[in-house]
Amino acid sequence: MDRFLKVSLEMRGVSCIARLLDAEAPRTAAAVWDALPLSGQVFHGKYARNEIYQLVPAFAPVEPGPENTTVTPIPGDLCYFTFNADILNTPSHGYGAQDEVSTPEAIIDLALFYGRNNLLLNGDQGWVPGNVFAAVVEGLDEMAAACQSIWMDGARGETLSLARYEGGSGDADR
């Protein structure tokens, strides 16, 4: 039986529905599902191109590891990345040499890709493969417009939320 997530931008009042890819990424899908709901400040991708994401503390009892990975996500892909703070604590991310790593433990990046021509290549780190754990099945056009607004108008004050969705696809506005 398919499981679904509701992905929302709270301030903008926009949501889409994504189907978990249990067959393709069983460990990652299970880890995310068990951790829901998750909410946090949204950010817009700097390197990947058409991406919004949130950073949350590690939540899986056991890190899922690589599965169903990609470096070229397509519109509607939801990806899971694991970083530690010292990887993100670089000048390219806005940090200076005087900034200290405050949380050396793992940080999870949950990302939604909303447009074409994404490439997960970071100038500081090289290739950054992500686990594709879900795919948007409804509401991507509206979400893409809201994501573009984050790029053009700013992310300040906006929350990205992921929650279990029991309605299945076909009724995203419930």
Side-chain angles (χ1 to χ4, degrees):
M1 179 181 230
D2 287 338
R3 298 185 295 173
F4 296 89
L5 305 173
K6 184 174 186 179
V7 182
S8 303
L9 289 168
E10 302 295 338
M11 191 170 71
R12 285 169 171 81
V14 176
S15 297
C16 62
I17 304 302
R19 182 179 59 84
L20 281 175
L21 300 178
D22 286 306
E24 297 88 344
R27 296 183 311 272
T28 308
V32 171
W33 184 260
D34 291 345
L36 295 175
L38 293 166
S39 291
Q41 169 67 45
V42 71
F43 301 94
H44 195 284
K46 186 173 183 178
Y47 299 106
R49 196 169 194 162
N50 300 301
E51 169 199 20
I52 61 167
Y53 65 96
Q54 64 175 270
L55 300 173
V56 297
F59 50 76
V62 175
E63 177 61 28
E67 64 177 356
N68 199 34
T69 59
T70 189
V71 293
T72 56
I74 62 173
D77 279 351
L78 276 89
C79 292
Y80 174 106
F81 303 89
T82 303
F83 299 105
N84 60 28
D86 59 351
I87 288 175
L88 298 178
N89 190 22
T90 66
S92 64
H93 285 84
Y95 297 98
Q98 74 283 1
D99 294 322
E100 292 184 33
V101 174
S102 60
T103 52
E105 60 270 357
I107 297 171
I108 305 305
D109 172 335
L110 297 173
L112 168 66
F113 291 86
Y114 65 89
R116 298 174 49 94
N117 301 321
N118 302 296
L119 185 62
L120 303 179
L121 180 60
N122 178 298
D124 296 324
Q125 303 298 322
W127 295 106
V128 184
N131 293 358
V132 183
F133 70 90
V136 173
V137 295
E138 183 179 329
L140 183 58
D141 289 343
E142 295 84 2
M143 181 61 80
C147 294
Q148 191 63 35
S149 168
I150 290 170
W151 176 250
M152 297 303 294
D153 303 322
R156 192 172 312 278
E158 181 63 86
T159 300
L160 176 63
S161 298
L162 282 73
R164 293 179 182 190
Y165 185 72
E166 305 299 336
S169 73
D171 45 5
D173 293 327
R174 265 207 227 155

